[in-house]
Amino acid sequence: MSSTYESKRRRILSPEHEHPFELFYWPTIPGRGEHIRLAFEATKVSYTDISNAEDAINLLLSHTSDKNLGDSLNPPPFAPPILRHGDLLLSQTTNILLYLGSKLGLTSSDEDPDGIYRVNALALTALDGLSNEAHDTHHPIAPGLYYEDQKQEAKRKATDYTQTRLPKFLGYFERVLSGEASQGGEWLYGGRLTYADLVLFQTLDGVTYAFPKAVAKLKKTGKYNKVFGLVDRVRAVENIKSYLESDRRKTYGLGIYRHYEELDDDGEEHPVAPITDAGITGIDEDSNRNSDADIEEEIMKKRYLMISTFALQKCRNFFKGELAQFSDVPFGSDTSGIVDRIGNVITKQTPSVEELITDVHSDVLSRWIPRLPRLEQLKSSHGISFAGNGKLIQLHCPSFTKLHFSKEHWPLGGQDLPAFLNDLRPQSLKSLETFGDYRQGYELFKALSCHRESLANLQLHDLEPENINELPLLKDCTNLVSLSLASAGRGRNTALQKAFENVLLDTVAWLKECTMLRILAFKDLDAIALMIPILLQDSIHLTSLKHESSFVSYTQIFYQALANQTSLQSLWLKGGVYGSAADKAEITDNLAESLRKLVNLTELRLAEISNYFADRHIVQIASSLPKLEFWSTSGLLLTDAIWYEVASLRSLRTLCLRSMPGFTPDGIIDFLEKLGAGNKGLSLLVWNRGSRSSHFSLVERDMIQKRFTEMTEGRFESFPLICNYLDYETSLCESDSD
């Protein structure tokens, strides 16, 4: 190496050189950080690799956190690698190498000052073709999706890459080494080792790991001997050779370069069809994209992680790289140890996970939590225990705010829950959703007072009478935005209702203080008496109200109170209509009149409560609620007379009607002709209360469906009223959601 290089290196290593080099990168993987490591290792310049530190993740995330605004000199970096040298903080791989190149003697000579840009261009080209494009072979559609979600597209992309793009880039570097600027053909530029050579070595080494068959085939052609010769020369550099043989060299596995057998070229030529439908083109382009902004490791970026026996049984294709050792492990009845071992591998490489779903025991969870510094939400399934983990979350997971668990956990973990909540950072829990046997309801509700200022979402399912009696213990939790209460059983529960009545005044007093409450839901509870004073409270402005109970008798006072909540956007009411014919008619009129005042409704679901609606009620509601998008209702006998006004609902996308048969094919077609552009994709579902003989014939249904498709690109379906329309409507709404 030249005397200029040696003098620069001596200055860097001299005692008076005060500022150390610190490299921040993801732990366990080589990634783009490896290019920076090779520069230091090649020149034997001391540096600190933060990825090896015990608290590596938190140290790295302190720089990339959305709360970091940088300082007076340095803007915040977007993504690693990040280099700190004194007061200077740099990001972007080639930007860092450009800075280090002149300091470490890994760029052009002093006699060739413009050569630094030529070296940088060579490094950028290698990263474009042998790093970025190589990465896209296993994630061609989106980095946030799993490989299995884009496997077919990945195969097409990989075939194009190994047969077209990879040879093109190798051919380019073969020309560079054959050119005069190389000065001898041993190195890419200026007859000396530069960081461009190190980048080409590292990227081609990674591509060889990912596509061993394809690279071997290309090497065998002899067309790229100079390129592979350069790789061998870099590998033989004394300092590089020592580094590659040391435990400092990180192994490939789940980073940019991944080996999937099915993506590696089998040696045969395969025609590749254009894949522009997947967002990828085969054209050459100046790929100056912000490659470092795309974190190398998709698994590092995962916001959602599910580690459970059920999930692992269903995802055998998941076992790649370091997880390959588990691919043939049988999942029998005793799988906790296997799940623990698999989780240990995964959680070491998922620092960005925000939501964890698991069924492991407390001691296993305690090993995972310190590796998940961004954890916000924990969902448990099948028997988790929370013992001791609250303190760990407080220490390692500053963003933790949500907890969800179901009834299977209570026998093992329910008794630990109050202690878990008390151990969390005070006033940090924002959301709690539980399903289960509340054996320590008193302690649980008291523990929630530790989060009275932060708790915004509270969903308590499977409540027993004694739990209802304990609801006033929540009186300090007055910042609730969403509250959902559901009983443990279906149908009328006298003991439960009595308990509700006993604490009615205290519960009302509590909820009246919840002025930020926007979502209120009750299931299998007669909460009419509770809701009336809340609905009349002028300081409360609900956007969603759900009350579902077949044994509820709604009253005129309730409907008057309901009309006060004009802020409502979603309303779901289920309950019977009882009394004499005159009583039923009056109650139905009151309901329709109340609904007409809720002018901001976009979703309206009525079950049983609207059984006595006639055409005039539907017309009145349709003329008053112009924002409706989803409407489900029943009626005594609905006819074609409703269609004209319903067609005026320009945002309506789903309409579900349950009634005695009074509609005709001509009436429905006439309705279609009156619809507007906002009704595109409309779904109309009709349940007939009459006999099967009164149901639309197959020919009529086919004719109506054909017109629906032609005129709205929507669908029409008609059923006898033996179908579970509530379940059907729910699935329909979910499938049609944007």
Side-chain angles (χ1 to χ4, degrees), residues 99-130:
Y99 174 75
L100 290 177
S102 58
K103 292 187 175 297
L104 305 184
L106 287 175
T107 186
S108 58
S109 65
D110 291 343
E111 293 77 24
D112 180 18
D114 292 338
I116 60 173
Y117 307 112
R118 301 181 182 109
V119 170
N120 204 48
L122 292 167
L124 283 166
T125 303
L127 286 169
D128 282 345
L130 303 176

Side-chain angles (χ1 to χ4, degrees), residues 249-418:
R249 170 74 165 178
K250 301 182 187 301
T251 58
Y252 299 112
L254 291 173
I256 299 172
Y257 304 107
R258 308 185 191 183
H259 176 64
Y260 294 104
E261 186 68 29
E262 62 271 20
L263 300 187
D264 196 9
D265 183 18
D266 60 6
E268 299 297 328
E269 296 294 331
H270 302 284
V272 180
I275 41 181
T276 53
D277 58 321
I280 304 162
T281 64
I283 62 173
D284 236 352
E285 54 188 1
D286 181 16
S287 182
N288 290 324
R289 57 182 172 175
N290 186 14
S291 58
D292 291 300
D294 304 324
I295 297 179
E296 350 261 349
E297 186 41 63
E298 276 65 47
I299 199 166
M300 291 281 188
K301 291 179 65 179
K302 292 303 178 190
R303 299 293 185 263
Y304 166 95
L305 181 62
M306 182 174 185
I307 307 178
S308 68
T309 303
F310 174 79
L312 295 173
Q313 285 174 323
K314 297 295 182 181
C315 302
R316 284 294 184 170
N317 288 335
F318 179 73
F319 297 103
K320 300 289 185 180
E322 291 185 58
L323 295 172
Q325 59 182 304
F326 303 108
S327 60
D328 297 323
V329 173
F331 283 86
S333 58
D334 183 17
T335 59
S336 58
I338 300 171
V339 174
D340 180 13
R341 289 161 56 203
I342 292 173
N344 281 336
V345 174
I346 297 173
T347 54
K348 288 178 181 177
Q349 303 187 57
T350 53
S352 294
V353 163
E354 296 173 358
E355 179 180 339
L356 174 64
I357 301 178
T358 188
D359 57 4
V360 297
H361 294 295
S362 177
D363 58 336
V364 176
L365 188 62
S366 66
R367 290 195 290 273
W368 296 355
I369 286 174
R371 303 168 186 159
L372 305 174
R374 289 190 176 182
L375 186 66
E376 295 180 4
Q377 182 172 2
L378 176 61
K379 290 186 177 182
S380 58
S381 57
H382 312 303
I384 194 171
S385 173
F386 296 101
N389 285 307
K391 292 181 179 179
L392 283 174
I393 287 179
Q394 178 179 170
L395 180 63
H396 297 282
C397 310
S399 300
F400 185 82
T401 59
K402 301 175 185 177
L403 180 63
H404 172 114
F405 56 92
S406 55
K407 67 175 64 178
E408 289 86 353
H409 310 104
W410 281 98
L412 289 176
Q415 64 270 28
D416 304 322
L417 187 56

